[in-house]
Amino acid sequence: MRKTIQIIGSGFSSLAAACYLAQQGNNVTVYEKNSTIGGRARQFKENGFTFDMGPSWYWMPDVFERFFQDFNKKPSDYYELIKLNPAYRVYFGINDFISIYDNLEDIKSTFESIEKGSGEKLQNFINQAKSNYDIAIKDLVYRPGVSPLELITPQTALKLNQFFSNVSSDIRKQFKNERLIQILEFPVLFLGAKPTKTPSFYNFMNYADFGLGTWHPKTGMFDVIRGIEKLALELGVTIKTNSSIEKIIVENNTATGIVINGEILKADIVLSGADYQHTETLLEKEHQMYSEKYWESRVFAPSSLLFFVGFDKKIENISHHALFFDVDFNQHAADIYDNPKWPEAPLFYANFPSKTDQTAAPNGMESGFFLIPLAPGIEDTEKLREEYFEKIITRFEQLTQQKIKNNIIFKRAFCKNDFVSDYNAYKGNAYGMANTLMQTAFLRPKIKSKKVKNLYFTGQLTVPGPGVPPALISGKLAAELIQKSFRS
């Protein structure tokens, strides 16, 4: 029987869920509070420059392929992919960087040239990471987090010890060079926690990095949003922007609709891909599953200070993606997780999409995206934003041996306060809830509300966790639970 399903938010998880639910013949409408779709993956254009506002790494291409395959489609039906070579560079000092190339053999050679014997060790490490990837990404993450028994399989039983050790200690047992260690620890930062707090099993992220490579949609990550939007529209989904949800209507402990601009919109099912904590504030207290004390006790992934910058010239000595690890990695991590404060000397990331995509900037110019990870809930002022831009741009000039400050013709900052106002993000988090041992799978907030019938959640605060591929999977899991409820 055709159901009316109202979906809150238009990020990756919401759009994915909308596609699956429409495929089943339901009447599906997506409501987005902002003027454009995409959630954190929005895009904006200014002065001839194009900027993706959020995700910029296209990893785990197999997850995207699996998503489109569910609709008898391919990613190439909707967007074009370019494999980056180098995938990225990591800077440790003035003109001192390590390039990570687009294949494991070249990466092994790079490691071997820095630490004798590390090439073979890396091969063994990636073999194990691939084994974990095959278990996690091809199986476990497609389970809805309903029961702890989901994690118990013949394969995971053999790897049980990996849930009680951590990524950092495993890497340090095998590699001695601090620069190589930091490169291997970097991918798990996408999961939102320190490498010392991330279970060893999550080294599958290293296979995603070195084994599957780093890709770039031809004109940016928003290509993927546009592609999924096109698929959704083909399936009959309706998408409405400038539609901020004011309330979720509950009658007899059942979600029966939503309120937008004072208008009641009836629903058989309400699915929220908006921030989980914010969504629960749209309910009366007795219908909320998680208290403020609960949210306060969770380990959240970082917030971020972002800068979108247009330069009137080409930038030299830089790759598409670049990580700046010329300062103390552990101290910055402590400033996020242990003693939350603005870091004295921040690590940062820079992305120059116009190195790959000529449409991202006017001819002869460059578009740049800079990111500093920060503790969620931190103070955010214009003065601090400017102070930290000056810090990183000065270091950028020193490390890449060029002057660029006077070539800035456009700059826009985005930080914690914007994450709150634009996305209703709890404490202004950028990536959701970290994937620590006690916040994995069935220990994460539930997809299906236990207090309100016909109310569901999707996205980075529920199963399986932060990141774009997990968001696509989360949309599928939510849709499957909804479809299962129709049959019960």
Side-chain angles (χ1 to χ4, degrees), residues 107-122:
I107 299 170
K108 283 164 56 181
S109 296
T110 298
F111 270 52
E112 188 66 31
S113 69
I114 294 168
E115 180 183 313
K116 189 169 177 55
S118 64
E120 184 179 347
K121 289 178 181 176
L122 180 63

Side-chain angles (χ1 to χ4, degrees), residues 258-272:
I258 55 177
V259 178
I260 300 177
N261 299 326
E263 182 184 359
I264 296 173
L265 301 169
K266 289 291 184 181
D268 296 307
I269 297 286
V270 174
L271 169 64
S272 179

Side-chain angles (χ1 to χ4, degrees), residues 294-350:
Y294 170 86
W295 295 113
E296 191 65 40
S297 70
R298 298 300 88 187
V299 178
F300 273 81
S303 184
S304 297
L305 171 55
L306 311 175
F307 295 101
F308 309 100
V309 186
F311 300 91
D312 67 3
K313 70 169 187 177
K314 286 293 182 183
I315 308 300
E316 300 173 353
N317 306 328
I318 198 70
S319 59
H320 183 120
H321 293 295
L323 302 161
F324 292 84
F325 287 179
D326 56 305
V327 297
D328 190 333
F329 185 103
N330 294 321
Q331 183 57 52
H332 189 158
D335 291 340
I336 294 173
Y337 296 103
D338 302 335
N339 180 29
K341 63 179 182 178
W342 282 81
E344 189 65 36
L347 303 165
F348 69 97
Y349 156 66

Side-chain angles (χ1 to χ4, degrees), residues 41-65:
R42 290 183 297 161
Q43 184 186 77
F44 80 95
K45 301 187 178 191
E46 195 77 40
N47 296 3
F49 297 96
T50 300
F51 300 97
D52 284 324
M53 294 186 69
S56 57
W57 295 78
Y58 191 104
W59 274 10
M60 305 184 187
D62 51 321
V63 174
F64 296 86
E65 289 163 9

Side-chain angles (χ1 to χ4, degrees), residues 377-391:
I378 205 164
E379 179 189 17
D380 173 17
T381 66
E382 288 300 323
K383 183 181 177 186
L384 282 165
R385 295 181 185 200
E386 283 306 307
E387 178 186 333
Y388 276 77
F389 182 73
E390 184 63 28
K391 282 189 179 195

Side-chain angles (χ1 to χ4, degrees), residues 53-170:
M53 294 186 69
S56 57
W57 295 78
Y58 191 104
W59 274 10
M60 305 184 187
D62 51 321
V63 174
F64 296 86
E65 289 163 9
R66 184 166 171 176
F67 168 76
F68 283 104
Q69 180 58 46
D70 284 341
F71 304 92
N72 295 314
K73 302 286 186 180
K74 303 185 295 292
S76 58
D77 293 331
Y78 296 95
Y79 53 88
E80 182 181 337
L81 285 174
I82 299 164
K83 194 174 189 184
L84 299 181
N85 191 28
Y88 55 92
R89 283 180 181 172
V90 185
Y91 287 77
F92 298 96
I94 295 174
N95 271 334
D96 173 16
F97 59 83
I98 295 175
S99 292
I100 300 300
Y101 294 102
D102 69 347
N103 65 89
L104 185 56
E105 289 306 312
D106 284 348
I107 299 170
K108 283 164 56 181
S109 296
T110 298
F111 270 52
E112 188 66 31
S113 69
I114 294 168
E115 180 183 313
K116 189 169 177 55
S118 64
E120 184 179 347
K121 289 178 181 176
L122 180 63
Q123 181 66 66
N124 293 333
F125 182 77
I126 295 301
N127 287 346
Q128 185 192 72
K130 182 183 185 304
S131 170
N132 289 353
Y133 189 93
D134 289 343
I135 295 168
I137 305 302
K138 295 180 180 178
D139 182 15
L140 290 186
V141 294
Y142 285 90
R143 301 183 182 204
V146 173
S147 163
L149 297 177
E150 293 172 6
L151 297 179
I152 301 172
T153 70
Q155 291 80 11
T156 57
L158 296 174
K159 294 178 180 284
L160 193 60
N161 64 315
Q162 292 188 33
F163 288 92
F164 298 98
S165 57
N166 66 72
V167 165
S168 183
S169 66
D170 283 4

Side-chain angles (χ1 to χ4, degrees), residues 267-448:
D268 296 307
I269 297 286
V270 174
L271 169 64
S272 179
D275 181 273
Y276 202 123
Q277 183 272 343
H278 168 72
T279 301
E280 288 220 304
T281 68
L282 303 175
L283 299 163
E284 299 297 335
K285 242 193 175 84
E286 65 264 27
H287 296 135
Q288 297 173 11
M289 283 194 295
Y290 302 103
S291 66
E292 179 61 28
K293 185 178 178 182
Y294 170 86
W295 295 113
E296 191 65 40
S297 70
R298 298 300 88 187
V299 178
F300 273 81
S303 184
S304 297
L305 171 55
L306 311 175
F307 295 101
F308 309 100
V309 186
F311 300 91
D312 67 3
K313 70 169 187 177
K314 286 293 182 183
I315 308 300
E316 300 173 353
N317 306 328
I318 198 70
S319 59
H320 183 120
H321 293 295
L323 302 161
F324 292 84
F325 287 179
D326 56 305
V327 297
D328 190 333
F329 185 103
N330 294 321
Q331 183 57 52
H332 189 158
D335 291 340
I336 294 173
Y337 296 103
D338 302 335
N339 180 29
K341 63 179 182 178
W342 282 81
E344 189 65 36
L347 303 165
F348 69 97
Y349 156 66
N351 166 26
F352 293 90
S354 47
K355 290 291 180 191
T356 304
D357 169 21
Q358 299 306 310
T359 70
N363 190 37
M365 301 187 187
E366 207 87 85
S367 63
F369 170 102
F370 297 82
L371 181 153
I372 302 173
L374 296 172
I378 205 164
E379 179 189 17
D380 173 17
T381 66
E382 288 300 323
K383 183 181 177 186
L384 282 165
R385 295 181 185 200
E386 283 306 307
E387 178 186 333
Y388 276 77
F389 182 73
E390 184 63 28
K391 282 189 179 195
I392 64 170
I393 211 70
T394 298
R395 276 173 43 211
F396 182 91
E397 287 187 330
Q398 293 168 347
L399 295 166
T400 63
Q401 294 287 279
Q402 62 190 312
K403 296 293 184 185
I404 61 171
K405 287 181 191 175
N406 293 335
N407 299 98
I408 294 171
I409 58 174
F410 173 79
K411 177 164 70 80
R412 175 179 170 186
F414 195 97
C415 197
K416 186 213 76 174
N417 292 346
D418 302 298
F419 281 100
V420 172
S421 62
D422 284 17
Y423 310 128
N424 295 308
Y426 183 71
K427 290 188 175 181
N429 79 83
Y431 308 105
M433 190 185 290
N435 259 335
T436 60
L437 178 61
M438 299 308 294
Q439 295 181 172
T440 293
F442 67 97
L443 296 172
R444 297 181 72 80
K446 301 300 183 188
I447 289 176
K448 183 178 181 180

